[in-house]
């Protein structure tokens, strides 16, 4: 049973465009929602994270939108750049656990010139 | 450089071989993890160690045997593997304890089982 569903599987966006990746979850005990970015040949690295008491968090060109009632959250990359081309994973952590994350299946983003 | 180093980066082994993956973290963290990454699948948590004690075994087959001699080192001993075990094995660390912490991943060990 996949606890965090991520879409789309792959995404092609033109330079300067907006990239949007969506995730949905069922477990209402999740209390921390990070996004990880992975470049080829590298391990995933934390990009941005949000807790369910806020609906949006922005860091530079990256924004997480969180809809608690719909149990959905999304990553928006504004002014997408070729250097943003990577695989993005959403994740969720259950309350009462420290850093035990449940990951989505990943979205491969390609930003074209 | 994330502060988490994994060796070897690539490993090819037969089904009857015994090999080990090594992970070392230089971040002063107290929790270490093994994840399995396969194409088009979510990262699968395998094992968690907190202050050298195993706190999570996510129903991993016994042909995978972890070892954590101290908070800085983590091993994954492999024996009698199957071709479907071919994957990227990622080690990660975090502050540990009860704090919600960022996971710091190594670059992974790419395992191919023939």
């Amino acid at each position: 049973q996949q606890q965090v569903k991520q879409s789309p599987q792959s995404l092609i966006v033109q330079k300067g465009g907006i990239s949007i990746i969506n995730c949905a979850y069922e477990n209402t005990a999740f209390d921390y929602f990070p996004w990880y970015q992975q470049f080829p040949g590298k391990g995933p690295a934390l990009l941005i994270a949000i807790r369910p008491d806020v609906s949006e968090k922005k860091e530079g060109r990256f924004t997480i939108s969180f809809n608690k009632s719909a149990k959905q959250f999304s990553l928006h990359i504004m002014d997408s750049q070729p250097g943003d081309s990577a695989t993005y994973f959403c994740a969720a952590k259950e309350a009462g656990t420290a850093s035990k994350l449940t990951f989505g299946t990943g979205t491969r983003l390609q930003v074209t010139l | 450089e994330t502060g988490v180093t994994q060796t070897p980066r690539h490993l090819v082994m037969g089904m009857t071989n015994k090999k080990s993956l090594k992970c070392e973290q230089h971040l002063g963290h107290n929790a270490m993890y093994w994840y399995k990454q396969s194409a088009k699948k979510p990262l699968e948590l395998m094992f968690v160690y907190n202050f050298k004690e195993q706190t999570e075994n996510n129903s991993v087959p016994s042909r995978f045997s972890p070892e954590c001699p101290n908070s800085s080192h983590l091993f994954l001993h492999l024996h009698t593997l199957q071709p479907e075990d071919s994957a990227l094995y990622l080690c990660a660390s975090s502050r540990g304890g009860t704090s919600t912490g960022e996971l710091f991943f190594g670059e992974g060990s790419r395992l191919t089982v023939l």
Side-chain angles (χ1 to χ4, degrees):
Chain A
Q1 181 186 1
Q2 188 179 334
Q3 293 200 54
V4 179
K5 293 184 178 180
Q6 184 173 346
S7 63
Q9 187 174 312
S10 62
L11 182 60
I12 300 175
V13 173
Q14 278 197 323
K15 179 182 176 183
I18 303 173
S19 304
I20 302 175
I21 305 171
N22 301 298
C23 284
Y25 63 96
E26 290 295 325
N27 188 348
T28 56
F30 288 146
D31 68 347
Y32 173 72
F33 301 87
W35 285 88
Y36 280 76
Q37 179 189 53
Q38 184 177 26
F39 292 104
K42 302 292 186 182
L46 180 66
L47 183 64
I48 187 172
I50 196 168
R51 293 194 180 274
D53 52 346
V54 297
S55 60
E56 186 175 284
K57 183 173 182 181
K58 184 176 181 179
E59 290 184 2
R61 297 184 293 108
F62 301 90
T63 300
I64 300 179
S65 296
F66 188 83
N67 186 328
K68 189 174 182 178
S69 61
K71 292 185 283 188
Q72 295 175 346
F73 58 110
S74 59
L75 175 69
H76 295 238
I77 306 174
M78 311 301 288
D79 187 26
S80 298
Q81 300 296 312
D84 297 329
S85 298
T87 300
Y88 293 81
F89 295 92
C90 62
K93 183 194 75 68
E94 191 167 325
T97 65
S99 300
K100 179 185 168 184
L101 298 177
T102 299
F103 283 87
T105 49
T107 297
R108 180 172 289 183
L109 171 65
Q110 182 182 352
V111 181
T112 61
L113 293 171
Chain B
E1 179 62 51
T2 64
V4 180
T5 303
Q6 289 188 242
T7 54
R9 293 293 311 279
H10 299 274
L11 179 63
V12 179
M13 58 188 290
M15 293 169 60
T16 58
N17 292 158
K18 289 185 179 180
K19 298 284 184 183
S20 295
L21 306 181
K22 179 183 176 182
C23 177
E24 183 174 0
Q25 58 96 0
H26 305 275
L27 301 169
H29 289 165
N30 294 301
M32 296 189 78
Y33 309 74
W34 280 116
Y35 277 87
K36 177 183 179 182
Q37 184 173 27
S38 305
K40 300 183 181 179
K41 287 187 177 180
L43 273 73
E44 298 174 52
L45 179 64
M46 300 175 72
F47 302 102
V48 181
Y49 280 81
N50 247 302
F51 297 93
K52 299 190 300 178
E53 297 297 320
Q54 186 180 120
T55 55
E56 186 84 24
N57 178 337
N58 201 19
S59 302
V60 180
S62 59
R63 57 186 183 268
F64 294 91
S65 175
E67 178 189 1
C68 187
N70 54 61
S71 293
S72 299
H73 293 86
L74 184 65
F75 296 89
L76 188 63
H77 303 300
L78 316 169
H79 63 96
T80 323
L81 293 191
Q82 304 298 312
E84 59 265 27
D85 297 323
S86 298
L88 182 68
Y89 289 85
L90 290 163
C91 173
S93 70
S94 71
R95 283 184 293 172
T98 58
S99 62
T100 297
E102 174 183 351
L103 286 180
F104 290 79
F105 284 89
E107 295 185 337
S109 293
R110 173 72 60 185
L111 173 66
T112 301
V113 181
L114 301 176

